[in-house]
Amino acid sequence: MNDRPKGRRKTPVWQAIAAHLRGDIAEGRYKAGDRLPTESRLAERFGVNRHTVRHALAHLIQEGLVRTRRGSGAFVAATPTDYPIGGRMRFHENLLAAGRLPEKRILQIENRAATPGEARALAVPEGGYICAYHGLSLADGQPIALFESLFPVSRLPGIDVALQQTRGVTQALDLVGITDFVRVSTRLTAVLADATQALHLHLQEGDPLLRTTGVNAVPDGAPVEFGRTWFAGDRVTLTLDG
Amino acid sequence: MNDRPKGRRKTPVWQAIAAHLRGDIAEGRYKAGDRLPTESRLAERFGVNRHTVRHALAHLIQEGLVRTRRGSGAFVAATPTDYPIGGRMRFHENLLAAGRLPEKRILQIENRAATPGEARALAVPEGGYICAYHGLSLADGQPIALFESLFPVSRLPGIDVALQQTRGVTQALDLVGITDFVRVSTRLTAVLADATQALHLHLQEGDPLLRTTGVNAVPDGAPVEFGRTWFAGDRVTLTLDG
DNA sequence: TGATATAATATGTCTAGTTGTATAGTTATA
DNA sequence: TATAACTATACAACTAGACATATTATATCA
């Protein structure tokens, strides 16, 4: 790991800069989520070319200490923490029990036509309308998962409004009269993050995601939710309860 | 070689967004005439700046898939056709039923000797002459598919002239006395567009194509057409009835 | 009720700033 | 003198914000 060259006289400038920034972060000058000065300013401050600063930043990125966003800046990365989630998948309760602060960010709620596949999964007529709920789950401010939940509006009138008002799927379903439901199917696969997923989850495009596809239904059998979730693979461990 | 430690490609974000929306439209999430979410909402949904969404939309507009009205919104201009597979594929009727303007552009019609494989598929003697009909199918001016249809001239005298005069295979066959036919085999694969295919279909080389290979025959069993079609994967959805 | 002014939205355009990438040139050093 | 480290420049991709302009919904008044 110590890739210091044999000649111990001089350390490259970029390594010195990286060490300096590392120290700034370590002693709290820049805290998690803070934006670092722009590359140009850092170049001025250290009296070097912008490329040299970039070389240093690239190292910090590889270490996972810093994350950059094109056009926006460089940010101190939050410390990745593995997080266990139960088989019942009650996001809020699990996180609260683990002493972390759950948060849900709504990206989109819209009523639209169902695709043939979605119609089949939700047992609605082809072309029938569904409510699509797209969002981002976070823990302590760090993105954990992207999700898309589909609901049959015909059987769940007012679900779109309920989703706006509540904190989670369970509560929203309760608001429209679904007090209990069971998971009737779950599928797991690994996929690669595309560009937009990577943006939301603060990952690189091509990083692995854990995708779950599942259907929840009321006890007598009618599906009430068709959900897909993409977990950031290296931040989440899914544990199935036995 | 080791410039990328992990397999991570780089696609511009706007291209990923354009592809996503294209897929949404192709799958029927947004149908012809539907209004897309506003640029601001899409920006939230994909986690990018509004300008990046606009860049993606501009591309879809250039493709003719989306049209915008200032102050009003962005609308789906043309829905990729749901194309029923199996039974009888009647290009013109399908498109007309979907409220679109079908068009067929003849690239080449020639009589030539059949290759061994073609001879077998059409049940003609090896080296027998066939009529090769090569063309491009469009809907509302947008290229949908490349096709190559082969006919046994021995059993269908005048088919070459009939193809020149009519609008489609069905009508041409009718002109030479084939009033009804059924599809006896269909095969589906995914291939990548080569340079010339991409040129005709207004795609990029390497974009995915859906290739169907099929044989039509008169009800008693003699083949009358051996056809191959390359659909632009983004613009067509093949639907299996059943 | 109906016409109209007003406010809220939506797209179109512009300017400016930041990171990402590519190419070429300079300098120190082994 | 060959190579790695660094400089210099230019452009592409994306973010951020402000403002103009067209459309649509809402409120108001006769």
Side-chain angles (χ1 to χ4, degrees):
Chain A
M1 286 307 177
N2 193 346
D3 53 355
R4 190 208 300 224
K6 279 70 180 179
R8 61 215 181 266
R9 306 261 172 94
K10 284 193 174 182
T11 59
V13 180
W14 67 265
Q15 281 188 19
I17 294 174
H20 195 121
L21 291 173
R22 209 169 2 231
D24 282 353
I25 294 171
E27 70 184 35
R29 182 166 177 190
Y30 304 118
K31 297 173 185 172
D34 280 3
R35 209 180 83 170
L36 297 179
T38 70
E39 294 173 352
S40 300
R41 286 197 182 283
L42 287 175
E44 280 181 28
R45 171 177 158 196
F46 292 112
V48 298
N49 189 272
R50 190 182 140 223
H51 278 17
T52 310
V53 169
R54 283 183 59 72
H55 198 144
L57 283 177
H59 230 245
L60 297 179
I61 290 168
Q62 182 130 13
E63 291 175 7
L65 206 65
V66 166
R67 152 185 85 78
T68 57
R69 212 184 158 191
R70 171 188 289 206
S72 185
F75 302 81
V76 179
T79 315
T81 314
D82 278 353
Y83 145 76
I85 189 169
R88 284 288 286 186
M89 300 216 178
R90 295 282 145 87
F91 196 81
H92 266 49
E93 296 159 17
N94 274 326
L95 280 175
L96 287 170
R100 305 191 69 182
L101 179 66
E103 185 187 346
K104 216 159 217 174
R105 205 165 289 164
I106 298 173
L107 298 178
Q108 190 184 38
I109 295 181
E110 64 167 348
N111 292 326
R112 43 154 251 243
T115 71
E118 294 166 352
R120 206 178 319 115
L122 284 174
V124 298
E126 185 155 334
Y129 268 66
I130 58 171
C131 175
Y133 175 33
H134 196 82
L136 183 64
S137 296
L138 305 96
D140 294 337
Q142 189 181 39
I144 293 292
L146 276 168
F147 63 89
E148 187 185 44
S149 282
L150 308 179
F151 305 89
V153 279
S154 57
R155 286 203 300 278
L156 304 172
I159 184 66
D160 47 352
V161 182
L163 285 170
Q164 302 257 20
Q165 293 170 345
T166 58
R167 284 262 168 84
V169 169
T170 308
Q171 293 175 42
L173 284 173
D174 194 68
L175 252 185
V176 297
I178 307 292
T179 55
D180 190 30
F181 57 87
V182 294
R183 176 157 284 239
V184 295
S185 78
T186 303
R187 284 192 297 175
L188 280 171
T189 48
V191 297
L192 298 184
D194 66 28
T196 58
Q197 291 171 331
L199 274 173
H200 276 129
L201 293 172
H202 296 177
L203 297 172
Q204 296 293 324
E205 184 180 2
D207 281 352
L209 301 181
L210 203 56
R211 195 190 72 181
T212 73
T213 307
V215 173
N216 283 314
V218 289
D220 64 356
V224 293
E225 186 215 359
F226 173 54
R228 277 170 291 191
T229 308
W230 292 264
F231 290 93
D234 55 357
R235 279 179 215 148
V236 176
T237 306
L238 292 189
T239 61
L240 298 174
D241 52 354
Chain B
M1 286 214 191
N2 51 0
D3 55 347
R4 50 171 144 177
K6 303 191 175 175
R8 50 186 54 157
R9 47 218 145 123
K10 281 178 230 167
T11 313
V13 179
W14 68 266
Q15 280 185 21
I17 293 174
H20 196 120
L21 291 174
R22 211 179 289 124
D24 280 354
I25 293 171
E27 288 180 16
R29 287 185 167 90
Y30 304 116
K31 299 176 180 173
D34 279 2
R35 209 180 78 172
L36 296 180
T38 70
E39 293 173 352
S40 300
R41 287 196 180 283
L42 287 175
E44 283 180 24
R45 162 129 155 56
F46 291 111
V48 300
N49 189 272
R50 188 180 141 226
H51 282 74
T52 309
V53 169
R54 283 181 60 73
H55 197 149
L57 282 177
H59 230 245
L60 296 180
I61 290 168
Q62 183 147 11
E63 291 176 9
L65 207 64
V66 166
R67 126 190 104 76
T68 55
R69 273 173 46 205
R70 164 186 256 184
S72 181
F75 300 83
V76 178
T79 305
T81 318
D82 272 358
Y83 208 80
I85 203 169
R88 288 137 221 245
M89 300 176 85
R90 302 280 148 93
F91 195 81
H92 265 55
E93 296 160 16
N94 274 328
L95 284 176
L96 286 171
R100 306 191 65 187
L101 179 66
E103 186 187 348
K104 216 158 217 175
R105 207 164 288 165
I106 298 172
L107 297 177
Q108 191 184 34
I109 296 181
E110 64 166 350
N111 291 326
R112 59 170 171 83
T115 69
E118 294 167 352
R120 202 176 326 114
L122 284 174
V124 299
E126 187 154 333
Y129 265 67
I130 58 169
C131 173
Y133 175 32
H134 196 76
L136 182 64
S137 297
L138 306 94
D140 295 336
Q142 189 179 41
I144 293 293
L146 275 168
F147 63 89
E148 186 184 45
S149 282
L150 308 179
F151 304 89
V153 281
S154 56
R155 287 201 301 280
L156 304 172
I159 183 68
D160 46 352
V161 182
L163 285 169
Q164 301 261 19
Q165 293 171 346
T166 58
R167 285 257 172 85
V169 169
T170 307
Q171 294 174 42
L173 285 172
D174 193 68
L175 253 185
V176 297
I178 307 294
T179 55
D180 190 31
F181 57 87
V182 294
R183 174 156 287 237
V184 296
S185 78
T186 303
R187 283 192 300 174
L188 278 172
T189 48
V191 297
L192 298 184
D194 63 29
T196 59
Q197 291 171 331
L199 195 64
H200 279 125
L201 292 173
H202 295 176
L203 297 173
Q204 298 292 324
E205 187 178 358
D207 281 352
L209 301 181
L210 205 56
R211 195 190 69 182
T212 72
T213 308
V215 174
N216 284 314
V218 288
D220 64 356
V224 292
E225 185 214 0
F226 172 54
R228 276 169 294 190
T229 308
W230 291 263
F231 290 93
D234 286 341
R235 305 207 255 270
V236 178
T237 304
L238 296 186
T239 61
L240 296 167
D241 51 356

